Amino acid sequence: MKKLLFIFLSFMILSCETPVKKEEKKKPVIKEAPKEIVVEKEVKKVDNTLIRLQRKACSGDCPVFDVTITKDSVLTYKGKKYTNLTGIHTIKLSAKQYNKFSVILDKSNFLGLKSKYTKSGTKDFPETILRYKGKKVTVRLWKDAPDRLTDIYVFIAVSYTHLTLPTI
């Protein structure tokens, strides 16, 4: 009987499963999609303006307008008040006109001009402002301005007169 008991116990011990760690459930690997990288670039606005002429108002009915000539020879006229032509109008200067204007600008020594050609007693005359290469020149009475500055103004005025603008 002892043998029988021994066989029975042996059988029981050998037949029992040894405890095994339960396999942990594997979590599914979630692959993240690559994140979108946003690169902000500061876009510099390129100013293509060669020269700008701005005519301000007076207390009467003086013409008020802006004229811009770009480096690629486009003249843009913006008539605001008291002009025969209001709104924005654009023309392309011919190569001959543009070259002539370049010579006038070079001869003017614009950067060497004074910033203002105004007299304190001249309050009711319209101001004309010319901007070229970062310099601003203001003229109230053209008789006080040097001829080389007047040449620039006359060229610009003549260039857009075919648009039936008022004589200035």
Side-chain angles (χ1 to χ4, degrees):
M1 178 82 161
K2 283 186 179 181
K3 279 186 177 181
L4 194 54
L5 185 60
F6 177 72
I7 292 176
F8 178 74
L9 283 174
S10 300
F11 179 73
M12 289 284 285
I13 292 174
L14 292 175
S15 66
C16 288
E17 288 184 25
T18 56
V20 178
K21 282 187 180 178
K22 290 184 180 178
E23 290 185 27
E24 293 180 17
K25 288 186 180 178
K26 291 185 179 177
K27 294 181 181 176
V29 178
I30 299 173
K31 293 183 180 179
E32 291 184 26
K35 294 183 179 178
E36 183 177 332
I37 299 173
V38 178
V39 178
E40 291 185 24
K41 289 185 179 180
E42 186 176 316
V43 178
K44 292 182 180 179
K45 186 177 180 183
V46 177
D47 187 14
N48 194 28
T49 302
L50 176 67
I51 192 165
R52 180 175 180 209
L53 182 145
Q54 184 178 18
R55 181 78 182 259
K56 301 265 188 163
C58 65
S59 63
D61 56 0
C62 304
V64 179
F65 59 90
D66 286 344
V67 178
T68 304
I69 299 177
T70 62
K71 294 173 186 170
D72 53 351
S73 70
V74 175
L75 183 144
T76 303
Y77 169 85
K78 297 177 187 172
K80 296 179 180 180
K81 282 183 176 178
Y82 308 115
T83 61
N84 290 340
L85 190 60
T86 57
I88 299 173
H89 303 275
T90 303
I91 59 171
K92 175 94 171 161
L93 298 176
S94 69
K96 185 177 177 180
Q97 288 174 309
Y98 189 77
N99 290 337
K100 181 179 178 182
F101 187 57
S102 295
V103 169
I104 291 170
L105 281 173
D106 290 341
K107 286 183 179 179
S108 74
N109 187 24
F110 193 88
L111 300 177
L113 295 170
K114 294 190 314 185
S115 294
K116 289 189 177 196
Y117 293 95
T118 61
K119 290 191 176 179
S120 60
T122 58
K123 299 218 186 272
D124 193 32
F125 292 95
E127 277 188 347
T128 302
I129 300 168
L130 289 150
R131 288 182 174 86
Y132 174 65
K133 289 190 175 181
K135 177 155 180 138
K136 175 181 163 183
V137 175
T138 304
V139 179
R140 190 156 272 149
L141 286 175
W142 282 95
K143 70 177 185 124
D144 299 333
D147 289 341
R148 58 188 189 210
L149 187 59
T150 306
D151 291 343
I152 295 171
Y153 180 78
V154 169
F155 177 86
I156 293 171
V158 168
S159 294
Y160 65 79
T161 52
H162 79 281
L163 295 170
T164 66
L165 299 175
T167 306
I168 17 180

